[in-house]
Amino acid sequence: MNIAFTELTPIKAGEMVRKRELSVEELTKAYLKRSIALDGEINAFLRIEEEYALKSAAAVQKRIDAKEELGPLAGVPFGLKDNICTKGLETTCASRILGGFVPPYEATLMEKMSRGGAVLIGKTNMDEFAMGSTTETSYYKTTKNPWNLEHVPGGSSGGSAAAVAAREVPYAIGSDTGGSIRQPAAYCGVTGLKPTYGAVSRFGLIAYGSSLDQIGPIAPSAKDCAAILDMISGFDEKDATSMKTQFNAVAQLEGGVKDMVIGIPKSYFGEGLNGEVREIITAAIKVLTDAGAKVEEFDFSILDYAVPAYYIIASAEASSNLSRFDGVKYGFRAEDAEGLRDVYLKTRTQGFGSEVKKRIMLGAFALSSGYYDAYYNKALQVKALIKKAFDDAFAKYDMILGPVAPTTAPKIGESLKDPLAMYLSDIYTVSVNLAGLPGIALPCGFDQKGLPVGMQLIAKAFDDEKLLCAAHCYQQLTDFHRQFPALAGKGGV
Amino acid sequence: MIITDEIIDYVSSLARLDLSVEEKTKIKGEIEKIIDYMDVLNTLNTTGVEPMSHVLPVTNVFREDIVAASVPREEILANAPEVDHGAFRVPKTVE
């Protein structure tokens, strides 16, 4: 054995491949074997694609042998959330209604990753259509938190976060509509970045809330996330909301936080926040001030309105986006339907799970005549005020710091009993999506049950590099991101 | 506000969902609770605030209108539950 899986970060794995200490096939085979072995317990993957992975590995090795200039992650295996289209590989959004759907085209993200020589080894589990905060709304399976198998991994990118936490893969890709990268990353003790809206193409990402959705990386460290962001960001003419941005985050990691001014929103530390989480975040703030950052509290009372505005906008967009699933063009079609309207009704009723149906209903209600102004339009006005509150804050601060979630990971089965409470647990993450900002979740400690706690850093739009730099600085001074759950401790390449 | 059975029936018809009685009751209760909570928005004065649909300064995204190959028809149809003569097949829609 050359190296333990727990030491093998994406960047380290890429280095070993480049230096020919390992072939891409060796690395891919080792991770396939490991993910198959560990996933029986964790259920992070919906599908592990052995044949596809070995073929990609051979192709990447050839390009490396031909001295092609590939990025730092060439030859490194990864997991992909199942709401991102992979040409020729089933993509279901963890929904019955998309069962058997094999996309005839590649998401732009996948094209970029293939260009960088990344090796896809499987599609990860998620809440159905990314609607949920626990990965329990998946039609297919329930993913477990690798730190404690009785707890959820968070959601909706729970499969991606759990796979990285267990080191089943060096890194994974998720999507974040209201916290779906950051919250599971926090619950699983790994690093998760939601880039600025428009920085990563959404072409081929099956839409939930189009004005909020953004693809991003989940990996052990901020440095790894920087390398992944550099590979996946950039303008794409197939996504009309994508921006002409090409990040070079890896080159700017070492700037430190000296003289950075970090704003602490008072409302992020209000009564809803669990005491242990508060203490751990407070200690994390001290690490940054000791490193030379200045910290200042500020009023951010608009936070109280973020969750209702978010759920109205996200559900409204979902009700529109999910109207394309009708049993005609792809996926599941209900049997014994009489007439076309009946095909729609029966297919959608049988094909969608209850959380998805509820959000479609909520969205259709908020958009219906008579309620449009009171709910949807009002939510868009609140969104404008939230954006303004952030603009005002960023006129004074380089960054904003707070928790990712009010508690650590709940037990499996607890959250779905009280849906409103589950929505409220998104309080610290959703406003970032409404304002289109970049946010990162970093492991910063453990509660008494041994479950990870994450802190969140938020920056202004397109300051993703600065965000990663501050996160990297924190990780140079701490080792929470290097810790791993007991079940990940064995084995190596 | 009170979510009536009529509202639930109307909205599920808009959404092309045919909910069972149990599902209706459950969704009605949950939506009512959520809408109640959402009414907190009414305590925020938004007079004169322009509704914001897009956060980034992008308008009118154009590109050249160039003819290019798209995905072949057979590949698109390969995912359809039912296909007939190169088209999506659905049950009879008019009598």
Side-chain angles (χ1 to χ4, degrees), chain A residues 76-382:
Chain A
V76 182
F78 74 102
L80 182 66
K81 190 175 182 180
D82 204 35
N83 59 352
I84 297 174
C85 286
T86 39
K87 189 176 179 179
L89 277 187
E90 191 177 357
T91 301
T92 67
C93 279
S95 179
R96 183 185 189 196
I97 211 163
L98 267 179
F101 172 60
V102 180
Y105 65 97
E106 200 85 280
T108 297
L109 173 100
M110 271 302 287
E111 284 180 352
K112 283 181 182 280
M113 298 200 68
S114 305
R115 222 171 290 149
V119 178
L120 173 69
I121 71 160
K123 302 292 288 282
T124 55
N125 196 22
M126 55 186 280
D127 281 296
E128 184 180 4
F129 283 103
M131 297 180 194
S133 311
T134 63
T135 310
E136 291 167 291
T137 73
S138 165
Y139 174 69
Y140 300 99
K141 50 171 76 166
T142 301
T143 302
K144 316 267 174 68
N145 189 316
W147 290 91
N148 183 330
L149 299 176
E150 287 175 14
H151 290 253
V152 301
S156 65
S157 310
S160 289
V164 175
R167 307 299 194 261
E168 287 185 52
V169 277
Y171 73 98
I173 298 290
S175 70
D176 190 313
T177 305
S180 283
I181 287 175
R182 290 161 286 156
Q183 185 255 35
Y187 281 2
C188 289
V190 292
T191 305
L193 171 72
K194 180 239 168 244
T196 300
Y197 185 79
V200 179
S201 170
R202 290 182 297 109
F203 179 78
L205 167 69
I206 298 171
Y208 160 20
S210 312
S211 75
L212 309 159
D213 298 340
Q214 187 60 200
I215 295 172
I218 296 175
S221 74
K223 191 177 177 184
D224 300 315
C225 286
I228 302 161
L229 181 69
D230 289 348
M231 173 168 61
I232 65 176
S233 60
F235 176 72
D236 176 20
E237 68 166 20
K238 291 176 185 159
D239 174 0
T241 60
S242 98
M243 298 292 280
K244 293 197 169 64
T245 311
Q246 183 61 61
F247 289 121
N248 193 359
V250 171
Q252 296 172 55
L253 280 174
E254 305 299 337
V257 294
K258 197 165 183 311
D259 300 326
M260 255 190 207
V261 188
I262 298 176
I264 311 282
K266 276 185 232 157
S267 50
Y268 273 52
F269 293 82
E271 54 177 310
L273 184 64
N274 168 281
E276 274 186 89
V277 174
R278 179 197 311 267
E279 270 173 41
I280 289 167
I281 304 288
T282 307
I285 296 173
K286 184 152 188 312
V287 172
L288 288 170
T289 49
D290 287 350
K294 292 188 182 69
V295 167
E296 199 181 303
E297 283 193 350
F298 71 103
D299 178 65
F300 196 73
S301 49
I302 192 84
L303 184 72
D304 293 340
Y305 304 97
V307 170
Y310 167 79
Y311 274 96
I312 291 170
I313 292 170
S315 302
E317 293 183 17
S319 77
S320 166
N321 276 324
L322 271 60
S323 63
R324 61 171 62 91
F325 302 104
D326 57 5
V328 174
K329 304 177 291 293
Y330 29 62
F332 167 77
R333 176 189 285 189
E335 284 171 19
D336 66 44
E338 290 165 29
L340 186 57
R341 190 186 156 88
D342 208 35
V343 169
Y344 299 157
L345 284 172
K346 286 205 165 104
T347 298
R348 291 168 61 80
T349 304
Q350 296 169 27
F352 291 133
S354 62
E355 183 63 30
V356 173
K357 282 189 254 198
K358 187 169 71 203
R359 293 197 197 185
I360 291 175
M361 294 275 290
L362 196 57
F365 169 78
L367 290 174
S368 65
S369 72
Y371 301 104
Y372 183 94
D373 281 332
Y375 293 99
Y376 185 63
N377 222 33
K378 181 82 181 183
L380 292 183
Q381 289 177 312
V382 174

Side-chain angles (χ1 to χ4, degrees), chain A residues 87 100-105 196-198 211 237 240-241 243 302 304-305 307-309 311-312 327-333 337 339-341 343-345 348-349 352 354 357-358 360-362 364-365 368-369 371 374-375 377-385 387 418-420 423-424 434-436 461-462, chain B residues 1-4 7-20 23-24 26-28 30-58 61-64 71-72 75-83 88-93:
Chain A
K87 189 176 179 179
F101 172 60
V102 180
Y105 65 97
T196 300
Y197 185 79
S211 75
E237 68 166 20
T241 60
M243 298 292 280
I302 192 84
D304 293 340
Y305 304 97
V307 170
Y311 274 96
I312 291 170
V328 174
K329 304 177 291 293
Y330 29 62
F332 167 77
R333 176 189 285 189
L340 186 57
R341 190 186 156 88
V343 169
Y344 299 157
L345 284 172
R348 291 168 61 80
T349 304
F352 291 133
S354 62
K357 282 189 254 198
K358 187 169 71 203
I360 291 175
M361 294 275 290
L362 196 57
F365 169 78
S368 65
S369 72
Y371 301 104
Y375 293 99
N377 222 33
K378 181 82 181 183
L380 292 183
Q381 289 177 312
V382 174
K383 176 178 169 170
L385 293 176
K387 167 84 165 47
D418 187 353
L420 184 57
Y423 291 3
L424 284 170
L434 287 169
F462 302 105
Chain B
M1 73 174 278
I2 293 174
I3 303 290
T4 60
I7 293 179
I8 291 293
D9 286 342
Y10 174 61
V11 172
S12 57
S13 158
L14 287 177
R16 295 289 184 272
L17 291 168
D18 182 19
L19 305 175
S20 68
E23 252 181 323
K24 246 184 229 177
K26 185 166 176 264
I27 283 192
K28 191 176 125 182
E30 288 181 0
I31 287 189
E32 192 162 277
K33 212 169 147 194
I34 291 163
I35 295 283
D36 258 352
Y37 166 63
M38 284 171 172
D39 284 337
V40 68
L41 293 182
N42 295 328
T43 64
L44 185 67
N45 184 3
T46 53
T47 317
V49 177
E50 190 64 30
M52 176 182 269
S53 51
H54 195 69
V55 284
L56 299 178
V58 225
V61 179
F62 294 122
R63 62 182 159 85
E64 290 307 311
V71 182
E75 288 180 27
I76 296 283
L77 289 171
N79 275 299
E82 230 183 310
V83 173
F88 296 111
R89 189 185 166 94
V90 294
K92 198 168 173 183
T93 54

